[in-house]
Amino acid sequence: MLKVTNLNVSIAAVHILRDVSLELTPGSMTGLIGRNGAGKTTLMKTIMGILKPGAGALSFDGKDLRSVETHERARLGIGYMPEERRLIPDLTVEENILVPAWACHTADARERLEKVYGWIPELRDMGYRKGLQLSGGQQKLAALGRALMCGTRLLLLDEPFEGVAPVLAQRLAQVIGALKREGMTVVVTESDLQHSERVVDRIVQIDRGAVVAS
Ligand SMILES: Nc1ncnc2c1ncn2[C@@H]1O[C@H](COP(=O)(O)OP(=O)(O)OP(=O)(O)O)[C@@H](O)[C@H]1O
Ligand SMILES: [Mg+2]
């Protein structure tokens, strides 16, 4: 489904990703594990088109992504949950979740929203609350719901468990596990295997910008 080949990415003239190759099969759950600064976020941003590779290839369903803009990648069904939750504080949770529907031209945003509420019923209950009124863990749930608006096929979840209380982390793992049963392809990053181990079926380890084990 997603194929990354010998990807090289530099940020501010510093070479960050080195010959990263990765293949995701449909319905797979991959844990991208690496310590701080290993390049996990850089890889996700490059898959999303926020960062441009200096060299290497990137394709989705055989389609070359290199000339495809970020919003067009969202339209292909790729959802992204950034490391920083970036909820819009003055918008309600429901409005925050609906924001990407405009970008990815969801045919029936309301129907998709109902699906998201079906997977994460907590979001319906907190839907009217403002983004700034949520705890860190609740914001992670909302950010996951938002990623699911466009993420109908591939979900990129950057550190979903980071800084989340144990009960909510368990709940997040449960939701992510349920998405696998829906046939969704998911990549989860974490610095270690603490929470992702119970949801992933494959681990890719990254260190200093290179894949060191798979
Ligand atoms: N805007 C930037 N300017 C300069 N260097 C950057 C920038 N963003 C990231 N880097 C560098 O790129 C490398 C990879 O960073 P990245 O954020 O991808 O790591 P990460 O694996 O996501 O780490 P973390 O676990 O802390 O989120 C690091 O050495 C980092 O310092
Ligand atoms: Mg990161």
Side-chain angles (χ1 to χ4, degrees):
M1 173 187 245
L2 181 84
K3 191 170 179 193
V4 170
T5 316
N6 293 328
L7 204 66
N8 282 270
V9 178
S10 297
I11 302 176
V14 181
H15 195 173
I16 307 289
L17 293 186
R18 298 161 188 277
D19 291 323
V20 169
S21 296
L22 180 72
E23 259 188 80
L24 302 180
T25 53
S28 60
M29 300 284 264
T30 304
L32 182 65
I33 308 298
R35 56 184 171 185
N36 293 130
K40 305 179 295 293
T41 299
T42 303
L43 179 55
M44 289 209 156
K45 285 184 175 170
T46 309
I47 295 170
M48 238 15 250
I50 297 161
L51 290 171
K52 305 282 174 223
L58 194 64
S59 67
F60 187 68
D61 286 341
K63 179 185 168 76
D64 187 350
L65 283 185
R66 281 172 298 185
S67 57
V68 178
E69 295 295 331
T70 297
H71 66 277
E72 292 170 342
R73 295 185 199 198
R75 223 168 283 171
L76 293 174
I78 308 178
Y80 173 47
M81 174 178 167
E83 194 171 11
E84 330 81 59
R85 300 169 292 265
R86 287 209 208 99
L87 290 192
I88 301 169
D90 283 335
L91 293 188
T92 66
V93 169
E94 185 162 297
E95 287 164 344
N96 267 286
I97 295 170
L98 284 169
V99 165
W102 308 324
C104 60
H105 292 193
T106 306
D108 192 337
R110 199 71 226 178
E111 195 176 302
R112 184 74 190 160
L113 181 68
E114 285 303 319
K115 266 205 147 150
V116 171
Y117 282 160
W119 289 314
I120 319 174
E122 296 93 322
L123 292 180
R124 194 196 295 275
D125 302 332
M126 56 173 102
Y128 65 92
R129 291 170 69 182
K130 293 273 169 73
L132 64 90
Q133 296 170 327
L134 302 187
S135 74
Q138 290 170 329
Q139 287 193 49
K140 287 273 190 189
L141 269 183
L144 175 58
R146 183 181 55 184
L148 278 164
M149 280 309 283
C150 294
T152 54
R153 304 200 50 218
L154 172 62
L155 269 185
L156 306 172
L157 309 179
D158 199 359
E159 311 252 7
F161 304 111
E162 198 193 24
V164 176
V167 176
L168 258 179
Q170 215 167 352
R171 177 68 188 126
L172 274 164
Q174 203 177 34
V175 172
I176 295 167
L179 295 174
K180 179 188 170 59
R181 291 189 289 277
E182 296 276 331
M184 202 89 81
T185 309
V186 183
V187 182
V188 179
T189 72
E190 196 174 11
S191 56
D192 54 36
L193 276 169
Q194 195 188 350
H195 298 288
S196 40
E197 191 165 32
R198 71 184 115 167
V199 289
V200 303
D201 39 43
R202 173 189 173 213
I203 291 155
V204 173
Q205 200 180 343
I206 181 170
D207 192 34
R208 290 181 212 166
V211 173
V212 291
S214 182

